[in-house]
Amino acid sequence: MKFFIDTANLAEIKEANDLGILDGVTTNPSLMAKEGITGAQNILDHYVTICNIVDGPVSAEVISTDFEGIVREGEALAALHKNIVVKVPMILEGIKAIKHFSSKGIKTNCTLIFSAGQALIAAKAGATFISPFLGRLDDISSNGLDLIAQIRGIYDNYAFDTEILAASVRHPMHIIHCAELGSDVATCPLKAIKALANHPLTDSGLAKFLADYEKGNS
Ligand code: G3P
């Protein structure tokens, strides 16, 4: 399973990249605003900076909601760097735009997926990735992981190339369950990725190994 980091924070992106297990980055307008990145040119520059840190797909989201606007914005984003993936909202105008981008070889990430039907039409339009939002489904007492399983089954039935990019991942168990269910990608906060490494028996075992080494060598 590929690991993407879900942030626009450069320090976190560098830290995750330095671990050597990072495959890409996702951002959205809320994550950009959280880092204080505002203004069209600053936002474009920030995407290029991220692309220069991580050698993998970097999702950059359009803010237009009409076909012509999405296409105009998406083509400008795609021209920034070879690794840019144009992130398009799951609306009918977005589906038309994804079909257009797909015919031109521009990679897309269809975002704000909350149902299997949405995932099905995004795949038919040729989306490179689709982003089901697990945490936000859990937030409304629905089961985000059930949606991943349902989409996996549908995509496998028809050998769709579209990759399932689990998003709105909140904690390490989300990542593990996504891996069990065959999600192609999980985009995660840095904290959740780092939490995968933790185990108290690893800590106590290492402390004992080091203490025994010291005893034997003192
Ligand atoms: O990947 C989508 C993500 O940024 C949304 O996460 O926690 O706001 O639902 P959250």
Side-chain angles (χ1 to χ4, degrees), residues 61-80:
E61 188 158 343
V62 300
I63 49 161
S64 299
T65 54
D66 62 298
F67 173 75
E68 287 78 14
I70 295 172
V71 167
R72 192 171 52 248
E73 258 192 86
E75 290 184 346
L77 289 168
L80 287 176

Side-chain angles (χ1 to χ4, degrees), residues 3-156:
F3 275 31
F4 289 3
I5 188 164
D6 192 31
T7 185
N9 182 288
L10 296 181
E12 291 194 357
I13 291 170
K14 282 182 192 138
E15 186 178 343
N17 195 52
D18 286 348
L19 289 173
I21 56 167
L22 190 68
D23 300 296
V25 181
T26 53
T27 62
N28 62 41
S30 304
L31 293 171
M32 290 298 239
K34 190 174 163 199
E35 299 307 319
I37 316 293
T38 55
Q41 192 56 50
N42 289 337
I43 290 171
L44 297 183
D45 292 346
H46 202 71
Y47 288 137
V48 174
T49 304
I50 294 171
C51 287
N52 288 332
I53 297 171
V54 179
D55 185 18
V58 173
S59 288
E61 188 158 343
V62 300
I63 49 161
S64 299
T65 54
D66 62 298
F67 173 75
E68 287 78 14
I70 295 172
V71 167
R72 192 171 52 248
E73 258 192 86
E75 290 184 346
L77 289 168
L80 287 176
H81 193 280
K82 67 178 174 46
N83 285 345
I84 289 284
V85 173
V86 180
K87 204 170 180 187
V88 178
M90 167 34 78
I91 52 177
L92 290 175
E93 293 288 288
I95 289 297
K96 277 164 61 181
I98 286 169
K99 182 73 187 175
H100 168 85
F101 290 135
S102 164
S103 72
K104 295 204 143 196
I106 294 175
K107 292 188 172 156
T108 53
N109 174 358
C110 186
T111 189
L112 292 166
I113 296 275
F114 293 96
S115 76
Q118 292 177 326
L120 181 56
I121 58 171
K124 282 196 66 72
T128 315
F129 301 97
I130 53 120
S131 290
F133 276 37
L134 303 192
R136 292 194 191 179
L137 281 168
D138 293 353
D139 287 344
I140 59 159
S141 306
S142 197
N143 189 329
L145 290 165
D146 284 352
L147 177 60
I148 298 289
Q150 195 181 13
I151 298 170
R152 180 76 282 155
I154 291 170
Y155 282 9
D156 288 351

Side-chain angles (χ1 to χ4, degrees), residues 153-171:
I154 291 170
Y155 282 9
D156 288 351
N157 281 345
Y158 299 99
F160 281 120
D161 289 335
T162 301
E163 293 190 46
I164 303 172
L165 193 171
S168 187
V169 165
R170 303 272 174 79
H171 51 72

